[in-house]
Amino acid sequence: MRNLPPIAMLRAFEVAARHTTFTATAEELFITQSAVSHQLKNLEEMWGLQLFQRGKTLSLTPAGEALAPLVREFFNKLDTTLSDLREQNGRVRLRVNTTYSFALKWLLPRLPALARLHPEILVSLESSDKAISFAGKESDVAIRFGHGNYHALFTEFMFREQLFPVASPALLQRSGTPAEPAELMRYPLLTRDGADLVPKWGDWFKHVGVKSDVLHENVRFADTNMTIEAALLGQGVALARSGHVEKELADGTLVRLFEVPFPSPAAYYFVCPQGLETQPQILNFRRWLLHESQQAQSHYQ
């Protein structure tokens, strides 16, 4: 790092690269134009490179064009890191990765309880439906929906959802409330498309003993949240997962149809790299998750 210049020179270069004059650069830095010119000249001499073409306006040379993004990235990362450290203020950041629908419907409403119980943990919540390997170290822990076969990772079962039909009060008022499962065949059935881990309407009808060769599916949706939203709008009956409709069932915007137990074949699992599960912040988060999972599970047993 023999050619690392003083921070003031780098800052002058970064600001000058965004402007076209010494005047604008000096105004942003709160120094004189001659000071800007002096710092840039010293930087060019230190590096042995011409960074600017000077005239009525400033323009970057090819060397300046190559170096400007690197210097700008350095200042951006420094600013972000300092902001994060100030925000943490003694707390430990825990980067949690899970699916968007689970984060939105189940985890996010419960995070204030975690903050009250463990104020030392600062959760950074990320969402992804892709398999996670932790190779890039973007996340510390993850919550995944599957069958628990997460090779070479610490894996802990959380809970298994129940699946049941739900509809809006408006739809039931308009079309009537079905008295038995077979009557659902005359309703628009809302379906999530492309979700191999989530049973379809045909699976539910088979479970309750109803032949369902022809289903009245008017729309297939790309994700769980869209399916639930369509049910809320009264567009049909959705086959919902219990963890995704807790709020809607509680406030009455959706109504569960039929108290038929139908556990999901897939479940939620806590995963993290082997050996990290006993770190204090991760251990506390795991224990909290398991407590919340048991509470959620008890409502549908």
Side-chain angles (χ1 to χ4, degrees):
M1 304 297 289
R2 292 174 299 172
N3 294 323
L4 186 62
I7 195 74
M9 288 186 191
L10 285 178
R11 187 59 176 160
F13 172 59
E14 190 277 326
V15 175
R18 291 187 280 104
H19 294 295
T20 58
T21 65
F22 285 133
T23 301
T25 302
E27 287 177 354
E28 180 171 334
L29 293 173
F30 298 102
I31 59 177
T32 64
Q33 296 180 42
S34 61
V36 171
S37 177
H38 182 71
Q39 288 179 350
L40 294 180
K41 182 179 179 181
N42 285 346
L43 182 62
E44 288 176 322
E45 290 176 353
M46 177 177 287
W47 280 347
L49 295 168
Q50 184 178 354
L51 302 174
F52 293 94
Q53 295 286 356
R54 292 163 173 80
K56 291 184 178 180
T57 60
L58 288 173
S59 61
L60 289 168
T61 64
E65 291 279 4
L67 289 167
L70 300 178
V71 176
R72 187 170 300 120
E73 182 181 14
F74 163 74
F75 280 109
N76 287 339
K77 286 187 174 180
L78 180 62
D79 184 61
T80 300
T81 301
L82 287 171
S83 297
D84 284 347
L85 290 172
R86 293 188 187 107
E87 181 186 6
Q88 290 178 38
N89 193 25
R91 292 184 291 173
V92 180
R93 182 178 294 276
L94 183 64
R95 297 168 299 175
V96 181
N97 188 294
T98 187
T99 62
Y100 178 75
S101 60
F102 182 79
L104 181 67
K105 292 293 188 178
W106 195 92
L107 186 56
L108 190 60
R110 289 172 164 84
L111 286 181
L114 174 66
R116 289 191 295 271
L117 186 63
H118 292 290
E120 77 281 3
I121 299 177
L122 179 62
V123 172
S124 178
L125 192 57
E126 306 155 354
S127 64
S128 172
D129 291 332
K130 298 179 181 179
I132 190 164
S133 66
F134 297 101
K137 298 184 179 180
E138 292 87 0
S139 304
D140 300 310
V141 302
I143 301 167
R144 281 294 178 263
F145 184 65
H147 299 293
N149 50 342
Y150 302 104
H151 181 66
L153 294 175
F154 172 83
T155 303
E156 190 166 39
F157 174 83
M158 288 175 52
F159 72 100
R160 190 179 305 276
E161 292 172 303
Q162 292 286 330
L163 291 103
F164 43 75
V166 295
S168 69
L171 175 67
L172 298 178
Q173 185 176 13
R174 185 171 69 244
S175 303
T177 301
E180 57 185 37
E183 292 184 19
L184 283 179
M185 298 292 289
R186 65 181 176 86
Y187 289 77
L189 301 178
L190 308 173
T191 304
R192 178 178 173 183
D193 197 18
D196 295 334
L197 292 174
V198 180
K200 305 296 190 296
W201 274 110
D203 300 304
W204 186 84
F205 280 119
K206 182 179 179 181
H207 179 74
V208 298
V210 175
K211 187 176 180 180
S212 58
D213 294 335
V214 180
L215 297 177
H216 185 196
E217 296 178 325
N218 57 342
V219 182
R220 288 194 171 193
F221 297 93
D223 62 43
T224 300
N225 295 326
M226 292 175 65
T227 309
I228 300 304
E229 185 63 26
L232 286 167
L233 294 172
Q235 296 179 5
V237 180
L239 186 60
R241 288 150 57 185
S242 55
H244 290 71
V245 290
E246 291 178 340
K247 176 182 178 297
E248 291 78 7
L249 293 178
D251 63 22
T253 52
L254 286 177
V255 177
R256 177 176 178 175
L257 305 177
F258 310 113
E259 297 289 332
V260 180
F262 185 33
S264 168
Y268 288 98
Y269 292 85
F270 172 91
V271 296
C272 71
Q274 290 280 3
L276 297 187
E277 68 275 9
T278 57
Q279 287 188 356
Q281 71 274 17
I282 294 179
L283 180 61
N284 288 333
F285 182 68
R286 281 174 50 211
R287 288 173 174 169
W288 173 80
L289 269 181
L290 290 178
H291 173 76
E292 293 295 324
S293 298
Q294 290 166 2
Q295 292 289 102
Q297 188 82 5
S298 66
H299 291 310
Y300 299 99
Q301 289 178 343

